[in-house]
Amino acid sequence: MKEKTHILPFFTTLTLIGFTAAQHHSFSSNADPRDLRTTHIEQNQRQLLYYREELDVEDEYLMLPPCLKFDNPRLRSAYIALQAWKQAIISDPLNLTSNWAGPDVCNYTGVFCATALDDSSIQTVAGIDLNHGDMAGHLVEELGLLTDIALFHINSNRFCGRVPKTLKKLKLLYELDLSNNRFAGGFPCVVLDLPKLKYLDLRFNEFEGDLPKELFNKDLDAIFVNHNRFALELPNNFGNSPVSVMVLANNKFHGCFPPSLANMSKTLNEVILMNNGLRSCLPKEIGLLKKVTVFDASNNKLVGSLPDTIGDMESLEQLNVAHNMLSGEIHDSVCLLPHLKSFSYAYNFITGEPPACLDLEDFDDSRNCFRVRPKQRSTLQCKVFLSRPVHCEAFNCHEFDPSPPSQPPPPPPVTSPPPPVYSPPPPPPPPLSSPPPPPSLVPPSALPSPPPPSSMPPPPPIHFYNPPPLPAPVYNGPLPPITGISYASPPPPSIS
C-alpha cells in the first residue's frame, strides 16, 4: 500500500509532463507560441499567469503578449503579480482594480512606484495600499515577485485563507498590514524571514495557535496581533523585543504575566494585554518601564496587590487594571504620577485608595471594597474573597532576568538567495518620541499629478482605543508618492 501512494503521484507527474510536451509540439508545428497565447488574453479582462516557486519556474520563462512593453524586467514581474492577484479578487465593490490593465502598473490604483534602491535609472513598484477597499479574495503566490516593495497595506478588506510563503522574497518589506480581514490558520511565520520588517499588524483576523518565540527576537518597532485566537503562555524571551508598541489584547494568552517585560524599558511606549487569561501577580519590575505611557492589563485574572513600583513609571498617562482580582491598597505614588490622566481599577477587591486618585481627570474605582465609596461590592463578598491569602510564589513564574541580549539575534536563515547589498544603505529610523502631528489627508483626485518620492513624515502619537491611530515607522528608502494617503495604515473599526 505504501508503494502505491508513491507511484500514483509519480505517474500523474509523468502524464502531465507528457501532456505539456505534446502541447508544445503542437504549438511548434502550427504557429508561434506567443501568437497562440495572445488569443487567450482579451482586452479589459482579467489575466492570470502562474508563478509556482515549488516548480522552480522563473518569471522570465512566462510568455506575455508581444504588444505589452515594459520599461524594465521588474515592472514586467510586477505586472505578472498584480494580474494574478486581480484574478484572485472575487469582489471589488469600489472598483479599485478596474484600471489594473495594461503594462503601466505604476498607474494602477493603490500601486505606487519609486526609484529602485539599487538602480537609480529604473522605476519599480515600491508600495501597495488598498486599505478600506472591502475587497474579497485571497493572496496569491505571485506576490512574491514584488521584490522591491516596502509597504503592503490591505487593512479592512475581506481577504481570507493563508498568507503565501512566497512573501519571504520581499526582502525590502518594511510595513505589513493585514489587519481587519479574514485570514486564518497559524501565525504566518513567513514574516520571520523578512529582514527589513519593522511594522507588523495582524489584528482583527482569525489566526490561531502559538506565537513563535522568534517573533520576540525580531527587530520590530510595532506588533499588533490583537483580536485573533492565539493561545499560549507568553514565552520567556517576550522581553527581548525592541518594539515601542505591543498590543496582544483579546486573544487567549494565559499563564504568568511576563516579568521579562521590564527588559523593554529602553523602547516600550505602550503595552496592551487586556482581555486574555493571564493569571499571576503583577511583577514589581514593571516599575522599570519609565517610558511607557499606556499600560493596560485589564480583564485578566491577576491577583495580589498593585506594585508600588508603578509609582516609578514617570511617563504613564493611562493605567487600566480593571476586571481582575487585585487586592490590598494602592500606593500614594501611583496616583501622584505627573502625567497620569486615566486610572481604572474597577471590579477588583482593593481595600484602600489614596485621596490623590479621586483627583485624577478620569478614574473608576467601582466594585471594589472601599467602604466609604459608592458602587462597591458587598461586605460579605469582600470578606469571603479577602479571607483567602495570596501567595505569588505559588504560580511558579519565571524570575526576572535583568540581562536581555543587547540586540536581537539575526533572523532565521532562509533558503532564497540573499538580497542585493545597496550602497549607500538607508540610515536607521529616527526615534519615535515627541513627533509632530501627521499631515492632513488630501483626496487623490485633488492632485493633478503625484509629487516625487519624499521621506516619511514623522509618526503621530498613539492613544489607545479612542480610536487608536497606529504608529508610522519611518522608511528611509524611496517611498511611493504621497497621493492623499498616509503610510501608516488607518486602524480597523474601533470596538463598541
Side-chain angles (χ1 to χ4, degrees):
M1 183 66 183
K2 187 174 181 180
E3 291 183 357
K4 290 182 179 179
T5 60
H6 290 288
I7 291 173
L8 182 58
F10 179 73
F11 178 78
T12 304
T13 302
L14 289 178
T15 303
L16 289 173
I17 293 173
F19 177 73
T20 303
Q23 273 193 324
H24 178 73
H25 177 74
S26 174
F27 288 156
S28 300
S29 60
N30 294 308
D32 189 319
R34 294 191 178 188
D35 293 336
L36 289 173
R37 288 180 182 269
T38 303
T39 62
H40 292 282
I41 302 178
E42 297 178 2
Q43 189 175 7
N44 298 325
Q45 288 187 343
R46 291 176 175 169
Q47 305 157 21
L48 177 59
L49 298 170
Y50 291 99
Y51 169 79
R52 293 290 179 263
E53 184 186 28
E54 62 266 29
L55 297 180
D56 197 26
V57 178
E58 299 294 338
D59 79 288
E60 59 261 29
Y61 294 107
L62 293 171
M63 305 291 288
L64 292 178
C67 60
L68 295 176
K69 305 296 182 182
F70 301 94
D71 290 341
N72 60 71
R74 300 188 195 185
L75 293 179
R76 180 184 185 276
S77 295
Y79 172 84
I80 293 171
L82 295 172
Q83 291 301 320
W85 192 17
K86 182 179 179 180
Q87 182 68 29
I89 295 173
I90 60 175
S91 175
D92 182 8
L94 302 182
N95 293 319
L96 296 181
T97 62
S98 60
N99 69 341
W100 284 24
D104 191 5
V105 296
C106 294
N107 280 330
Y108 288 8
T109 299
V111 178
F112 303 95
C113 292
T115 303
L117 282 173
D118 60 334
D119 188 347
S120 60
S121 66
I122 65 173
Q123 290 279 303
T124 186
V125 173
I128 290 178
D129 194 312
L130 295 171
N131 285 344
H132 296 278
D134 196 29
M135 293 186 291
H138 65 276
L139 302 184
V140 295
E141 294 176 351
E142 287 82 356
L143 290 173
L145 292 171
L146 299 172
T147 53
D148 292 283
I149 201 170
L151 310 170
F152 189 76
H153 295 169
I154 55 170
N155 177 318
S156 302
N157 284 284
R158 290 173 287 140
F159 290 111
C160 62
R162 295 176 181 262
V163 180
K165 294 181 180 180
T166 53
L167 294 192
K168 69 182 180 180
K169 293 178 176 290
L170 310 185
K171 300 301 183 183
L172 300 180
L173 192 62
Y174 191 86
E175 297 184 9
L176 177 62
D177 185 353
L178 307 179
S179 62
N180 200 26
N181 279 282
R182 299 175 183 177
F183 293 109
F187 179 87
C189 289
V190 65
V191 304
L192 303 176
D193 295 329
L194 302 175
K196 299 293 185 181
L197 190 67
K198 287 290 186 180
Y199 177 90
L200 176 64
D201 194 344
L202 304 179
R203 55 187 171 154
F204 292 93
N205 278 289
E206 299 292 331
F207 293 115
E208 59 188 358
D210 293 350
L211 288 181
K213 292 182 177 181
E214 294 81 3
L215 176 65
F216 302 106
N217 289 333
K218 192 166 178 60
D219 187 17
L220 295 169
D221 182 70
I223 296 177
F224 293 87
V225 296
N226 49 294
H227 291 82
N228 280 282
R229 299 183 180 185
F230 293 117
L232 80 161
E233 291 190 22
L234 295 175
N236 298 339
N237 70 330
F238 181 86
N240 290 2
S241 180
V243 298
S244 62
V245 180
M246 175 84 75
V247 184
L248 309 183
N250 291 281
N251 281 284
K252 299 178 181 179
F253 298 116
H254 55 272
C256 293
F257 187 96
S260 65
L261 184 71
N263 285 329
M264 303 166 69
S265 60
K266 293 182 179 180
T267 59
L268 191 62
N269 297 132
E270 297 194 13
V271 57
I272 314 296
L273 297 169
M274 63 177 288
N275 200 22
N276 281 287
L278 301 177
R279 182 177 176 84
S280 70
C281 297
L282 279 172
K284 66 180 185 299
E285 289 81 10
I286 62 174
L288 298 174
L289 301 173
K290 297 184 183 298
K291 293 185 177 181
V292 167
T293 60
V294 177
F295 182 94
D296 193 333
S298 61
N299 288 275
N300 281 284
K301 300 176 182 178
L302 301 174
V303 299
S305 59
L306 203 63
D308 56 10
T309 54
I310 291 179
D312 297 328
M313 300 172 68
E314 56 194 30
S315 301
L316 198 59
E317 298 176 8
Q318 299 180 44
L319 174 60
N320 192 344
V321 291
H323 292 271
N324 281 287
M325 296 181 286
L326 299 172
S327 55
E329 299 185 356
I330 300 173
H331 197 271
D332 292 33
S333 61
V334 175
C335 293
L336 291 173
L337 284 167
H339 302 289
L340 188 63
K341 297 178 181 178
S342 176
F343 183 17
S344 178
Y345 44 100
Y347 288 88
N348 281 286
F349 294 87
I350 299 172
T351 56
E353 60 182 342
C357 293
L358 308 183
D359 295 331
L360 291 172
E361 182 179 318
D362 179 22
F363 76 95
D364 187 356
D365 66 352
S366 61
R367 298 294 182 265
N368 275 284
C369 298
F370 307 131
R371 296 277 64 85
V372 296
R373 294 287 299 159
K375 299 180 181 179
Q376 299 298 302
R377 297 182 184 274
S378 69
T379 302
L380 178 60
Q381 191 178 15
C382 291
K383 183 177 180 180
V384 170
F385 181 86
L386 296 174
S387 65
R388 295 170 290 185
V390 175
H391 301 287
C392 294
E393 64 277 4
F395 293 101
N396 295 317
C397 298
H398 291 277
E399 295 292 329
F400 171 62
D401 180 3
S403 302
S406 57
Q407 61 182 10
V414 295
T415 56
S416 58
V421 178
Y422 303 127
S423 181
L432 296 177
S433 59
S434 303
S440 60
L441 301 182
V442 180
S445 59
L447 298 177
S449 61
S454 59
S455 59
M456 175 77 69
I462 299 172
H463 301 286
F464 177 62
Y465 284 125
N466 210 15
L470 305 184
V474 177
Y475 174 63
N476 291 283
L479 288 172
I482 299 173
T483 57
I485 63 159
S486 60
Y487 289 105
S489 301
S494 57
I495 315 164
S496 56

